[in-house]
Amino acid sequence: MQLSSKTWTAAFSFLLRRNCYISSSSSVSAPLLLRPLRPLLLHRSNHAMVPHPKDDAYLDTVIPKRIKLFEAIQAQQRAHLQITLPGGQEKEGKRWITSPFDIAREISKSLASNALISEVNGVLWDMNRPLEGDCTLKIFKFEDDVGRDTFWHSSAHILGQALEVEYGCKLCIGPCTTRGEGFYYDAFYGDLGLNDEHFKEIVSAAEKGVKGKQPFERIEVSREQALEIFSDNQFKVEIINDLPADKTITVYRCGPLVDLCRGPHIPNTSFVKAFACLKASSAYWRGNKDRESLQRVYGISYPDKKSLQLYIQRLEEAKKYDHRLLGTKQELFFCHPLSPGSWFFLPNGARIYKKLMAFIQNQYIERGYHEVISPNVYNMQLWETSGHAANYKENMFWFLRVRSYRELPLRLADFGVLHRNEASGALTGLTRVRRFQQDDAHIFCRESQVKDEVKGVLEFIQYTYDIFGFTFDLKLSTRPEKYLGDVATWEKAEAALTEALNESGKPWQLNEGDGAFYGPKIDISVSDALNRKFQCATLQLDFQLPTRFELYYSAEGEEGKRETPVMIHRAILGFVERMFAILLEHYKGKWPFWLSPRQAIVCPVSDKSQPYALEVRDRIHKAGYYVDVDTSDRTIQKKVREAQIAQYNYILVVGEEEVKTGQVSLRVRDKGDVTVMSMENLLQHFKAEVEAFH
């Protein structure tokens, strides 16, 4: 009998699957398991069927030897896992078995009960995910930015679970709020409109998930598997189809919720001890007004109930000082539907706006910047060359003119008016606008000058924020997934920023993968009087765009030699409108004297002292200060009270006695005491207040 090759293959495969199973954990030896196949282990010779002469030796010695060696090496590798903790402390573990949680538990019970997330060789890592090799390990709690962001990201999944279970909606995306507090989840609800009345049901469903101590379980899936899992959700399908071909796709399960997510997450839901819904608003899928209309539910959570109560109290306090309310009350600015997102600044608001600009401009003179004025509109070719068009980034200033190395560093600043086509639903007072002005500047320098220039910008930021009364944090944001240039250049740029940060003397954190597409950056997050964080200043190091725009300078030494400069993008205020809003809420409407639009008001006691009041006003005005006079027929008590409500820094009362002596009776805002001053001393006091930025 003769058999075809195809028949041989099919027969052998069937019998092998049916009769042979090798398991390293089995107590039965491999040769015994293979023995039923021995009569069938044949070789073909002239199509004749004869037993293989080396069959028994091969099965009895070679395969067991391989398995034994494999298990020995595997055991050896698992037994030699070296873990380095911050500070250089070392721990041992087993590969694919030991998890960050095991290490936390070994260090202390307190750390194990509070550890939310870890970082393994610079990559965020679930606490229960086994370690795969020798590594450096960091463990984060809620007090750390990374831990807090992970906590809120995981809370978004708890919110998503509640929304899906309660309303059968189609979930879209659910991140923690960028550089803010809390989280949100966007979802498609069809005809259902959410409002505050639904929050009780949502919180109740979320608390059930918390009490269930649901673990966050992670799996990696193929694109086909991901599409099958989320085949009933067109939003998730769109996300999956847009992922790069080589992207590892991960899916997390938390109780009944199975969600597409790159993670990582906290160990389980029981870490979330306090949960609340804040508000619901409309949103568009992917921010496109022509796409599906979604609803966004915002939430906040904490590892203890006391922290949530304090947050709610702080939120209520902040509402009283919302810049939109204060701006209307103080007649600073307004917005009109004919130009949404582009704010009109009234005289008092314009005073503050110009003061902020003047402060930065005066610092430019001190710090060697040259101010320029650039166009608002460019040919699209500019943005295509720079890469901004492809990456949806904002504008950059550029110029063409041969420069010498002797002129570097060259610091060019531009208070350019910019326009961004923000969606109408995204516009939020002065903090999210369409027309804005940025204190933009670009420093062109040699590589050897980068460190000193970066340190100089950091000192500029420190000086400015000290005056405003801000504290701030520094983060080094490194190469993102989409970037220009080569890895070696990026590593050089990141090393330069790292060195400058280390020498600045201020603590900083690493923010992996969040750099601009053209270079790494230092993100500056400020905290105001209400303990809220804002992103204002920025410092970006750019080796890419000077090359793309073919910028160069004549190099030192060899004649005719050209070199490409390094460019530093930087802003101190960020954009003026947003800083205006932050400062208005930070000061709770009580502007410091140097920045105030209402520095003083003169209040005559009666008609007899009114001419002198006008003289006082004119003299103060001539000295360069913002001063008004109340010539109404109200009583002096009412005049003073109105001046206090209007937030004048100084109230100058003049009566018959002041007219005789040429003095003024000075009242300080929010204080009851009165000081009598001569005009000379008053103006000297005002000057000292401005010079000290009080």
Side-chain angles (χ1 to χ4, degrees):
M1 179 179 69
Q2 292 185 342
L3 299 177
S4 68
S5 296
K6 186 174 182 180
T7 305
W8 269 100
T9 303
F12 184 81
S13 298
F14 170 78
L15 290 168
L16 183 62
R17 287 196 303 270
R18 184 179 180 88
N19 293 286
C20 176
Y21 175 74
I22 299 177
S23 172
S24 60
S25 62
S26 175
S27 60
V28 183
S29 66
L32 180 61
L33 286 169
L34 285 168
R35 238 166 239 132
L37 289 181
R38 283 175 181 168
L40 298 172
L41 290 174
L42 309 174
H43 72 96
R44 297 177 63 201
S45 176
N46 296 323
H47 305 291
M49 297 174 61
V50 295
H52 195 290
K54 297 182 179 179
D55 175 48
D56 289 341
Y58 186 82
L59 294 175
D60 291 339
T61 60
V62 176
I63 290 180
K65 176 185 176 183
R66 287 178 179 171
I67 292 173
K68 185 176 181 181
L69 287 172
F70 177 90
E71 291 177 340
I73 295 170
Q74 183 184 58
Q76 185 180 26
Q77 288 180 347
R78 284 181 172 175
H80 290 83
L81 174 61
Q82 201 72 21
I83 304 159
T84 305
L85 302 173
Q89 184 183 4
E90 293 187 344
K91 297 284 185 180
E92 287 191 356
K94 295 182 178 180
R95 297 173 192 268
W96 302 101
I97 294 178
T98 302
S99 69
F101 178 75
D102 296 325
I103 301 300
R105 187 167 49 191
E106 186 178 332
I107 295 172
S108 72
K109 290 183 179 179
S110 174
L111 179 60
S113 61
N114 291 285
L116 299 175
I117 198 65
S118 68
E119 184 182 88
V120 177
N121 292 335
V123 177
L124 289 180
W125 203 269
D126 292 303
M127 287 297 297
N128 290 320
R129 182 179 171 186
L131 300 170
E132 299 172 3
D134 294 346
C135 62
T136 58
L137 174 66
K138 295 180 182 178
I139 296 174
F140 301 101
K141 299 185 291 185
F142 187 81
E143 293 72 22
D144 305 303
D145 286 350
V146 173
R148 194 161 48 248
D149 286 349
T150 304
F151 186 90
W152 283 330
H153 180 196
S154 300
S155 297
H157 280 241
I158 298 173
L159 172 61
Q161 173 186 321
L163 296 173
E164 190 174 51
V165 169
E166 289 295 311
Y167 305 110
C169 57
K170 292 186 178 181
L171 298 176
C172 299
I173 59 169
C176 61
T177 54
T178 306
R179 298 184 179 88
E181 292 180 303
F183 49 90
Y184 66 85
Y185 218 120
D186 286 349
F188 180 75
Y189 294 82
D191 296 330
L192 175 66
L194 291 181
N195 54 49
D196 295 3
E197 296 178 0
H198 294 89
F199 288 175
K200 187 174 181 180
E201 296 174 353
I202 296 170
V203 171
S204 177
E207 289 176 344
K208 288 180 183 178
V210 169
K211 291 177 182 177
K213 200 176 181 180
Q214 299 168 178
F216 285 88
E217 301 174 277
R218 174 185 185 272
I219 59 171
E220 294 183 5
V221 298
S222 66
R223 185 178 300 269
E224 292 71 25
Q225 290 171 324
L227 290 171
E228 183 179 1
I229 293 172
F230 299 102
S231 59
D232 61 336
N233 186 324
Q234 70 268 33
F235 305 102
K236 300 289 185 182
V237 167
E238 187 174 332
I239 294 173
I240 295 166
N241 285 329
D242 287 346
L243 292 174
D246 59 346
K247 180 73 173 179
T248 299
I249 301 175
T250 55
V251 173
Y252 278 81
R253 179 188 173 188
C254 175
L257 179 71
V258 176
D259 205 359
L260 182 71
C261 182
R262 67 180 180 181
H265 288 285
I266 61 178
N268 62 67
T269 57
S270 69
F271 283 75
V272 181
K273 299 293 193 299
F275 188 102
C277 287
L278 299 176
K279 62 179 180 178
S281 65
S282 61
Y284 291 111
W285 173 234
R286 295 194 158 176
N288 186 342
K289 60 182 175 56
D290 296 323
R291 296 295 305 273
E292 294 87 344
S293 180
L294 311 176
Q295 293 184 70
R296 176 173 296 178
V297 178
Y298 288 89
I300 186 69
S301 61
Y302 283 94
D304 62 89
K305 292 185 178 180
K306 183 180 179 181
S307 295
L308 177 60
Q309 292 171 351
L310 291 174
Y311 173 81
I312 298 298
Q313 291 173 6
R314 196 168 78 243
L315 204 62
E316 292 301 316
E317 181 78 359
K319 286 179 181 178
K320 295 189 294 185
Y321 304 110
D322 187 299
H323 72 276
R324 289 162 290 190
L325 299 176
L326 291 175
T328 300
K329 187 177 181 180
Q330 296 187 6
E331 297 181 336
L332 301 177
F333 47 74
F334 71 92
C335 194
H336 195 279
L338 291 177
S339 186
S342 302
W343 287 73
F344 296 80
F345 284 83
L346 296 167
N348 287 321
R351 290 175 179 179
I352 300 169
Y353 198 105
K354 291 176 70 67
K355 281 275 188 180
L356 288 171
M357 291 177 62
F359 168 76
I360 294 295
Q361 287 167 328
N362 289 334
Q363 286 299 307
Y364 286 161
I365 297 171
E366 295 289 329
R367 298 171 184 272
Y369 285 80
H370 304 283
E371 195 167 357
V372 298
I373 299 174
S374 62
N376 282 28
V377 180
Y378 295 89
N379 187 292
M380 193 61 184
Q381 182 183 351
L382 170 71
W383 310 118
E384 291 167 352
T385 303
S386 71
H388 286 78
N391 290 274
Y392 304 102
K393 297 292 180 177
E394 299 173 17
N395 92 316
M396 70 165 280
F397 171 76
W398 69 287
F399 71 103
L400 291 175
R401 181 185 160 188
V402 177
R403 295 286 185 178
S404 166
Y405 70 92
R406 294 184 181 88
E407 298 177 81
L408 301 181
L410 180 63
R411 308 180 188 99
L412 299 181
D414 178 23
F415 268 100
V417 176
L418 305 177
H419 293 82
R420 181 188 294 154
N421 190 20
E422 293 280 8
S424 298
L427 298 174
T428 311
L430 291 178
T431 60
R432 197 78 177 265
V433 295
R434 284 179 174 166
R435 186 270 188 197
F436 56 98
Q437 209 162 353
Q438 191 171 21
D439 64 328
D440 211 1
H442 297 86
I443 302 171
F444 299 88
C445 62
R446 307 167 76 178
E447 282 192 39
S448 60
Q449 297 169 328
V450 166
K451 183 176 69 175
D452 287 340
E453 290 302 310
V454 170
K455 289 168 65 178
V457 173
L458 291 175
E459 191 278 326
F460 192 173
I461 293 168
Q462 180 80 63
Y463 175 81
T464 302
Y465 288 177
D466 282 350
I467 288 172
F468 292 154
F470 291 153
T471 58
F472 64 93
D473 302 318
L474 299 173
K475 291 183 180 179
L476 173 58
S477 297
T478 56
R479 176 166 48 89
E481 289 186 8
K482 295 182 179 180
Y483 61 92
L484 297 180
D486 57 87
V487 173
T489 301
W490 273 83
E491 290 176 347
K492 181 169 58 176
E494 290 169 3
L497 289 183
T498 299
E499 190 176 359
L501 282 168
N502 288 336
E503 293 189 13
S504 72
K506 284 190 67 68
W508 59 277
Q509 294 181 339
L510 188 64
N511 187 20
E512 290 278 3
D514 201 34
F517 69 94
Y518 48 75
K521 60 179 179 174
I522 297 174
D523 285 323
I524 297 93
S525 176
V526 305
S527 298
D528 69 356
L530 297 172
N531 199 31
R532 299 171 302 174
K533 290 185 179 291
F534 300 95
Q535 175 70 38
C536 298
T538 188
L539 192 163
Q540 302 169 3
L541 187 56
D542 188 352
F543 283 78
Q544 311 298 335
L545 295 190
T547 300
R548 291 173 73 94
F549 281 100
E550 299 180 358
L551 302 183
Y552 61 86
Y553 61 90
S554 59
E556 183 178 6
E558 187 177 341
E559 186 176 349
K561 182 181 178 183
R562 294 178 173 181
E563 291 185 2
T564 302
V566 180
M567 182 163 63
I568 299 172
H569 308 244
R570 57 108 288 217
I572 308 298
L573 300 179
F575 65 84
V576 184
E577 285 79 358
R578 190 162 189 261
M579 179 58 76
F580 191 118
I582 292 169
L583 288 172
L584 179 54
E585 295 181 2
H586 173 63
Y587 294 131
K588 300 181 179 179
K590 299 180 184 294
W591 296 99
F593 181 77
W594 76 273
L595 200 53
S596 177
R598 296 180 174 92
Q599 293 174 314
I601 186 170
V602 186
C603 297
V605 175
S606 66
D607 291 343
K608 293 181 181 179
S609 52
Q610 188 164 301
Y612 177 66
L614 295 173
E615 291 178 18
V616 171
R617 179 201 62 183
D618 292 345
R619 189 168 176 184
I620 296 172
H621 178 75
K622 189 175 181 180
Y625 304 104
Y626 300 133
V627 59
D628 295 312
V629 62
D630 186 344
T631 58
S632 69
D633 58 359
R634 291 176 297 187
T635 65
I636 189 62
Q637 290 80 10
K638 287 186 176 180
K639 289 180 180 181
V640 170
R641 181 57 185 155
E642 288 296 321
Q644 289 174 330
I645 293 173
Q647 299 301 328
Y648 282 93
N649 297 73
Y650 292 103
I651 304 166
L652 310 176
V653 177
V654 294
E656 292 184 21
E657 185 64 27
E658 285 77 17
V659 172
K660 292 178 183 177
T661 61
Q663 295 177 316
V664 296
S665 293
L666 181 145
R667 294 171 179 260
V668 181
R669 181 182 59 196
D670 298 333
K671 292 184 180 179
D673 53 330
V674 177
T675 305
V676 178
M677 277 190 178
S678 67
M679 285 302 299
E680 290 76 13
N681 288 342
L682 177 68
L683 295 178
Q684 187 60 41
H685 176 69
F686 283 180
K687 181 182 178 184
E689 290 285 274
V690 169
E691 290 176 349
F693 299 105
H694 288 164

